[in-house]
Amino acid sequence: MTIGIDKMGFFTSDYYLDMADLANARGEDPNKYLIGIGQKDQAVIPPTQDVVTMAANAAAKILSDDDKQAIDMVIFGTETGVDNSKSAAIYVQSLLGISNSARSFEIKQACYGGTAGVQMAFDHIAMHPESKVLVLAADIARYGIGTAGEVTQGGGAVAMLMSQDPQILALDNQSAFHSENIMDFWRPFYRRDAIVDGHYSTDIYIDFFNQTFKDYSAKYQRTLSDFSAVAFHLPFTKMGLKALRTVIDDGAHSQKLLKEFDHSKKYNALVGNLYTGSLYLSLLSLLANSKTLQPGDRIGLFSYGSGAQGEFYSGTIAPEIQPQSLAGQVEQVIANRTRLSVPEYEAMYANGLSNAGGDVTFDAADDDSRFVLLGRQADQLVYRDQQA
Ligand code: COA
């Protein structure tokens, strides 16, 4: 029996900001953002979308009625939770009509939460082979107007259905991990925007990649040549490239890995940072855009969550994979977006639920996503299924 990712769904906002527009507004050379950081566009999340609605919208695209009955665990990895107590998973379970005979809960460790979910799902299915587990990775990355991190914002959701005999990626059950108490990025309860030491965080990310890749290679007697591609957590696409460059040389296989990296960053460069979902959007991008990857090829995956937790693990591409269908799903979402001016983005950024509390109603007339957030009434979030 193989276990892994059977289906993947993606969702992001209908709005985006062009990074050249942002650079011009901030007095920067556009090439700093486009080449130096490696980001082209950035999703801008309207008040009518939060991690619950984005994850529900992503999952709704892939789940059949049978899946909803078979799912016995819903795991939500996020660092943009909607409540300090109640998990975002319970809301999604209810919005989608997933069986109530499921365990539903949320995991937090910065951008690593989605990977923790994937690994937990693997273990659960190994013990209960008929199970299906829905793993959700959704976030809204906010750093603040005019900050150095502004160019690395974004948002969206990746939903993964995990099962036995998966049709996308069979996991090897081989992984190496490393954690340390590090203050590179965090967000205290009273803030909507993250605090980050971006240069320090990049150094730690590269250290953790090297450490976990070395541990993985020693544990399983593998070298870089065993991987047809490596997908990285990509808060901005240059970050993964910097890590990859530390392990490659001038040889032909290294050049292949660089080429595959270009495929793996394509969607991330257009959507921006998804925090927990970034690695999995990169995996989608790789599988959808690579011209050379084949079923059976081994992919390395590097997951990183500030604070900090790193993990390197691997899987092989399933025989049933349909790259065109993965590409079609993501590209349809991206093609339908509306470009915002910088003032429009700044106005949207300032909107949304404040941490101060109080009733608020959002106008969802312009949001044609299936699931929307209508606001907060009497301290309760109000969601709507627009197809109901
Ligand atoms: N043309 C091309 N490249 C240019 C350029 C130009 N005109 N001007 C600058 N650059 C390059 C720089 O050389 C640098 O490249 P390098 O990193 O390969 O050396 C890159 O653009 C970024 O420039 P830098 O001066 O380092 O940018 P910055 O100080 O404004 O900050 C980040 C960049 C990424 C550190 C910042 O956006 C950030 O902190 N983001 C948040 C990251 C994060 O969330 N980390 C934690 C999650 S894992």
Side-chain angles (χ1 to χ4, degrees):
M1 176 177 81
T2 58
I3 299 170
I5 303 171
D6 188 51
K7 296 183 182 178
M8 293 180 89
F10 169 72
F11 178 86
T12 190
S13 154
D14 290 338
Y15 302 100
Y16 76 96
L17 179 65
D18 186 304
M19 289 302 92
D21 292 347
L22 182 66
N24 289 327
R26 301 294 177 250
E28 297 280 6
D29 179 346
N31 280 340
K32 172 176 173 183
Y33 289 3
L34 300 172
I35 300 167
I37 305 277
Q39 292 302 127
K40 178 163 183 332
D41 299 328
Q42 174 176 114
V44 181
I45 313 300
T48 47
Q49 290 295 320
D50 67 3
V51 292
V52 167
T53 57
M54 291 195 297
N57 284 317
K61 295 180 186 182
I62 56 167
L63 298 184
S64 67
D65 289 343
D66 286 349
D67 292 333
K68 290 178 193 174
Q69 282 312 305
I71 289 170
D72 66 355
M73 197 182 274
V74 182
I75 309 178
F76 201 130
T78 185
E79 51 182 306
T80 323
V82 296
D83 192 286
N84 284 327
S85 174
K86 182 166 174 163
S87 81
I90 294 276
Y91 284 113
V92 175
Q93 178 186 14
S94 153
L95 286 170
L96 292 173
I98 290 170
S99 162
N100 288 112
S101 305
R103 288 183 176 134
S104 275
F105 55 92
E106 188 173 306
I107 292 181
K108 178 171 68 184
Q109 177 31 56
C111 304
Y112 175 75
T115 298
V118 165
Q119 297 296 357
M120 193 172 281
F122 182 98
D123 292 348
H124 177 72
I125 296 164
M127 294 295 288
H128 309 281
E130 299 310 316
S131 290
K132 292 191 178 193
V133 179
L134 179 63
V135 179
L136 304 160
D139 272 299
I140 301 172
R142 292 171 59 100
Y143 292 86
I145 304 289
T147 62
E150 187 179 26
V151 62
T152 64
Q153 297 179 142
V158 177
M160 291 172 275
L161 185 67
M162 298 202 41
S163 70
Q164 63 172 307
D165 302 328
Q167 304 216 338
I168 294 180
L169 192 74
L171 302 190
D172 289 329
N173 194 20
Q174 295 178 335
S175 108
F177 24 88
H178 182 85
S179 51
E180 254 182 78
N181 184 5
I182 282 163
M183 297 305 284
D184 58 332
F185 169 109
W186 68 104
R187 185 164 62 84
F189 285 135
Y190 50 84
R191 287 179 64 111
R192 290 179 75 199
D193 304 338
I195 300 171
V196 63
D197 183 341
H199 294 285
Y200 178 52
S201 189
T202 304
D203 291 345
I204 299 290
Y205 171 100
I206 293 170
D207 284 354
F208 274 41
F209 168 64
N210 282 296
Q211 177 76 45
T212 54
F213 182 61
K214 192 171 125 234
D215 290 352
Y216 174 99
S217 303
K219 255 167 125 173
Y220 305 109
Q221 262 97 72
R222 291 225 170 92
T223 66
L224 207 53
S225 61
D226 291 312
F227 296 94
S228 300
V230 181
F232 288 85
H233 167 53
L234 294 179
F236 55 99
T237 68
K238 184 70 161 297
M239 201 160 176
L241 181 60
K242 282 176 184 240
L244 180 60
R245 279 179 178 158
T246 63
V247 291
I248 58 174
D249 54 29
D250 293 335
H253 189 69
S254 291
Q255 296 316 303
K256 172 181 163 51
L257 292 178
L258 276 175
K259 218 170 239 158
E260 299 296 5
F261 179 80
D262 278 346
H263 297 307
S264 78
K265 73 177 188 187
K266 184 177 166 193
Y267 296 154
N268 301 69
L270 297 173
V271 178
N273 198 350
L274 274 72
Y275 289 161
T276 48
S278 292
L279 168 61
Y280 298 99
L281 180 59
S282 178
L283 176 64
L284 261 175
S285 187
L286 173 69
L287 297 173
N289 293 297
S290 172
K291 305 285 175 281
T292 53
L293 289 178
Q294 297 293 326
D297 282 356
R298 175 159 284 110
I299 311 284
L301 297 101
F302 176 61
S303 182
Y304 176 79
S306 292
Q309 173 73 56
E311 177 158 347
F312 187 92
Y313 72 105
S314 60
T316 56
I317 299 176
E320 300 83 0
I321 190 150
Q322 294 185 354
Q324 280 160 352
S325 134
L326 296 174
Q329 192 206 131
V330 178
E331 285 164 23
Q332 186 189 21
V333 177
I334 288 174
N336 287 334
R337 301 186 301 177
T338 301
R339 178 173 169 178
L340 298 180
S341 66
V342 173
E344 286 170 332
Y345 140 70
E346 289 176 348
M348 199 173 272
Y349 188 89
N351 231 319
L353 286 178
S354 87
N355 284 351
D359 289 356
V360 55
T361 302
F362 299 132
D363 180 0
D366 290 335
D367 192 334
D368 58 8
S369 314
R370 176 166 170 191
F371 298 103
V372 292
L373 172 66
L374 293 181
R376 179 172 52 204
Q377 302 295 327
D379 294 317
Q380 296 187 27
L381 297 168
V382 182
Y383 294 106
R384 181 166 71 194
D385 177 350
Q386 309 217 79
Q387 281 179 17

